[in-house]
């Protein structure tokens, strides 16, 4: 499929529909749930009622062969609010893990349980990061041991910063099954609802995205049936055997695993950045100082010009990477990481400029730009720090194992 920058009628309808929900439901609730620092269950229920929260909607966006429906959706949702946006979209992390590694039967069994239904919405959690293994994935300490007699896996370890950790109906947990193989000796497991041995801290207090639940998760001899190993044991045994024999997948194949999700995350940052830019632009048109609107001052006008330019540039990188991933184009220069790197850093820069344009007012909670500023910062940290994105890009363009 050719890359095309103009959205088709269906994509425009999707964009406008999500924007309407963000404007009428998300934005009016944003300040309240940021202050409460609680999961906005009523908003999730409203999203589920209209079909915006659920596997069917996610599947439809993924089915778009242009790859643009998901980033378009994320931009509009996070334009409404970053914290509530993450509360709605956080479940997709667990779903993506099940979709990426699971069998069709596992997909059919577990994904609906991640979402629940409109009358009783649920959330899912993907638990991968650890206190000593964030960017250093190969250092994962959580272990999974297979007990053949009972056909069970026993999982023990600790996960950090898990979105929806502890409150999720379904947890997807990564663990090492052969530590000697590093990251190639790891697998993903579904921990079903009510499984004993899984516990979590209270909701962590965060700088931003406060409406999204984040917690550390502890696994103490958590026993799950053999069927909960995503992909199945036969596939795992074959993969481990290849790794032990020294066979290596191509660097591009390994890179794509991480690259594919990054444009969607970049689109979230874009939404926050655009919201801050639009608010600052309107403020600059109406705020009068020295007898004229402040937008008539070059310093303000040029700052807004830079903000808009950077947002549009980041969107082009996000859309390109989303299209490439959906159409199996090789990320020969780390294009997925480029999109997330640019969008994350633009979000931080633009929201900071928005606060500056509003001056003292921007520092007050009476205006939303201070919340947007707080929400933006995480996008240079999670889903791969800016430094890791640069490392991926540098390795891709140089062919050198830069450390």
């Amino acid at each position: 499929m050719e890359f095309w920058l103009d959205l088709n009628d269906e994509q425009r309808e999707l964009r406008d529909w999500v924007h309407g929900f963000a404007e009428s439901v998300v934005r009016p609730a944003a300040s309240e749930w940021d202050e409460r620092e609680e999961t906005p269950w009523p908003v999730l229920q409203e999203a589920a009622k209209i079909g915006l929260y659920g596997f069917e909607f996610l599947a439809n966006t993924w089915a778009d062969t242009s790859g643009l429906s998901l980033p378009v959706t994320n931009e509009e949702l996070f334009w409404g609010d970053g914290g509530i946006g993450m509360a709605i979209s956080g479940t997709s992390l667990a779903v993506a893990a099940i979709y990426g590694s699971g069998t069709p039967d596992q997909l059919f069994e577990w994904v609906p349980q991640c979402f629940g239904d409109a009358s009783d919405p649920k959330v899912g959690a993907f638990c991968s990061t650890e206190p000593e293994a964030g960017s250093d994935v190969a250092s994962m300490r959580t272990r999974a041991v297979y007990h053949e007699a009972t056909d069970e896996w026993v999982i023990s370890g600790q996960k950090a910063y898990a979105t929806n950790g502890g409150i999720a109906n379904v947890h997807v947990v990564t663990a090492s099954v052969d530590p000697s193989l590093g990251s190639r000796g790891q697998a993903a497991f579904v921990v079903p609802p009510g499984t004993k041995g899984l516990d979590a801290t209270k909701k962590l207090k965060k700088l931003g995205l406060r409406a999204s639940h984040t917690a550390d998760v502890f696994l103490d001899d958590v026993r799950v049936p053999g069927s909960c190993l995503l992909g199945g044991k036969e596939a795992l045994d074959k993969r481990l055997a290849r790794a032990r024999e020294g066979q290596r997948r191509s660097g591009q194949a390994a890179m794509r695993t991480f690259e594919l999700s990054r444009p969607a995350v970049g689109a979230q940052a874009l939404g926050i950045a655009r919201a801050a830019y639009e608010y600052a632009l309107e403020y600059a048109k109406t705020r009068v100082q020295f007898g004229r609107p402040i937008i008539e001052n070059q310093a303000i006008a040029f700052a807004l010009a830079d903000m808009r330019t950077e947002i549009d540039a980041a969107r082009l990188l996000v859309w390109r990477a989303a299209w490439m991933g959906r159409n199996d184009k090789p990320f020969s220069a780390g294009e997925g990481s480029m999109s997330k790197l640019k969008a994350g850093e633009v979000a931080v820069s633009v929201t900071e400029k928005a606060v500056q344009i509003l001056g003292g007012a921007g520092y007050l909670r009476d205006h939303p730009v201070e919340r947007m500023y707080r929400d933006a910062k995480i996008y240079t940290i999670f889903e791969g720090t800016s430094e890791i994105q640069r490392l991926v890009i540098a390795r891709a363009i140089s062919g050198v194992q830069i450390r």
Side-chain angles (χ1 to χ4, degrees):
M1 181 177 181
E2 293 184 357
F3 181 50
W4 190 254
L5 287 173
D6 189 25
L7 298 178
N8 61 35
D9 290 342
E10 186 175 343
Q11 291 165 335
R12 283 194 291 270
E13 288 177 8
L14 172 65
R15 178 196 62 196
D16 295 345
W17 177 61
V18 178
H19 183 86
F21 178 80
E23 186 173 39
S24 63
V25 179
V26 174
R27 280 203 164 179
S31 179
E32 175 189 352
W33 291 100
D34 177 71
E35 292 283 350
R36 291 174 63 168
E37 298 195 48
E38 297 174 2
T39 300
W41 292 107
V43 182
L44 260 70
Q45 189 163 36
E46 287 300 311
K49 284 180 179 178
I50 67 169
L52 180 57
Y53 181 73
F55 179 60
E56 185 177 352
F57 174 77
L58 202 57
N60 287 337
T61 58
W62 283 349
D64 179 1
T65 55
S66 75
L68 299 185
S69 286
L70 186 55
V72 164
T73 295
N74 279 352
E75 181 177 338
E76 297 306 323
L77 189 57
F78 282 72
W79 172 90
D81 179 61
I84 294 177
M86 185 57 69
I88 293 172
S89 66
T91 294
S92 64
L93 299 171
V95 172
I98 297 170
Y99 180 81
S101 301
T103 64
D105 286 344
Q106 289 171 326
L107 190 70
F108 180 77
E109 179 178 4
W110 296 115
V111 168
Q113 294 188 55
C114 287
F115 288 104
D117 55 43
S119 62
D120 185 21
K122 306 289 186 183
V123 293
F126 179 57
C127 308
S128 181
T129 298
E130 297 184 0
E132 303 299 326
S135 299
D136 185 8
V137 178
S139 296
M140 186 178 294
R141 295 183 178 180
T142 299
R143 301 287 182 259
V145 178
Y146 183 62
H147 290 199
E148 190 170 357
T150 57
D151 186 28
E152 287 181 317
W153 287 91
V154 181
I155 309 171
S156 296
Q158 178 183 352
K159 297 297 181 179
Y161 315 129
T163 299
N164 296 329
I167 67 168
N169 197 44
V170 173
H171 291 76
V172 178
V173 176
T174 56
S176 176
V177 297
D178 187 341
S180 68
L181 297 175
S183 61
R184 302 186 72 197
Q186 297 167 4
F189 302 83
V190 168
V191 179
T195 300
K196 293 181 179 179
L198 187 149
D199 199 5
T201 61
K202 292 182 179 179
K203 183 180 186 295
L204 299 176
K205 298 291 187 179
K206 306 193 298 291
L207 173 71
L209 300 186
R210 293 179 177 179
S212 171
H213 183 98
T214 305
D216 291 347
V217 174
F218 303 91
L219 303 113
D220 184 11
D221 288 338
V222 171
R223 293 178 175 269
V224 300
S227 60
C228 288
L229 167 64
L230 290 177
K233 193 167 186 304
E234 183 178 351
L236 173 65
D237 288 341
K238 289 180 179 178
R239 178 162 60 83
L240 295 178
R242 290 194 299 269
R244 293 178 185 124
E245 291 169 2
Q247 297 180 22
R248 297 187 61 85
R249 295 172 294 178
S250 69
Q252 179 61 31
M255 185 190 301
R256 281 179 62 82
T257 302
F258 298 99
E259 291 282 84
L260 287 170
S261 67
R262 285 173 174 160
V265 177
Q268 297 173 4
L270 268 178
I272 297 171
R274 196 184 98 217
Y277 155 75
E278 290 176 359
Y279 194 91
L281 176 62
E282 290 305 309
Y283 183 89
K285 289 178 179 179
T286 58
R287 172 64 168 165
V288 175
Q289 287 282 279
F290 303 105
R292 61 182 181 179
I294 63 173
I295 198 168
E296 293 183 17
N297 298 311
Q298 279 193 2
I300 301 297
F302 284 9
L304 288 161
D306 287 343
M307 291 158 74
R308 175 59 185 266
T309 300
E310 290 295 290
I311 289 169
D312 283 8
R315 185 182 295 107
L316 290 175
L317 286 173
V318 166
W319 282 18
R320 179 185 69 168
W323 172 80
M324 289 177 69
R326 183 63 181 82
N327 288 277
D328 297 322
K329 303 295 182 181
F331 289 123
S332 58
E335 287 86 350
S337 284
M338 284 184 187
S339 70
K340 196 268 182 181
L341 170 65
K342 183 65 173 177
E345 300 213 333
V346 164
V348 171
S349 173
V350 166
T351 54
E352 181 182 21
K353 283 186 171 69
V355 172
Q356 190 71 22
I357 288 170
L358 268 69
Y363 202 68
L364 301 179
R365 294 188 181 182
D366 293 346
H367 296 274
V369 291
E370 67 84 26
R371 184 178 69 248
M372 296 167 184
Y373 184 33
R374 290 187 283 107
D375 288 346
K377 181 55 193 170
I378 193 62
Y379 287 91
T380 64
I381 299 172
F382 76 170
E383 298 292 323
T385 64
S386 289
E387 291 76 15
I388 289 295
Q389 309 302 338
R390 290 186 172 94
L391 186 64
V392 170
I393 297 164
R395 287 174 175 175
I397 62 177
S398 69
V400 176
Q401 191 67 12
I402 299 166
R403 298 184 183 278

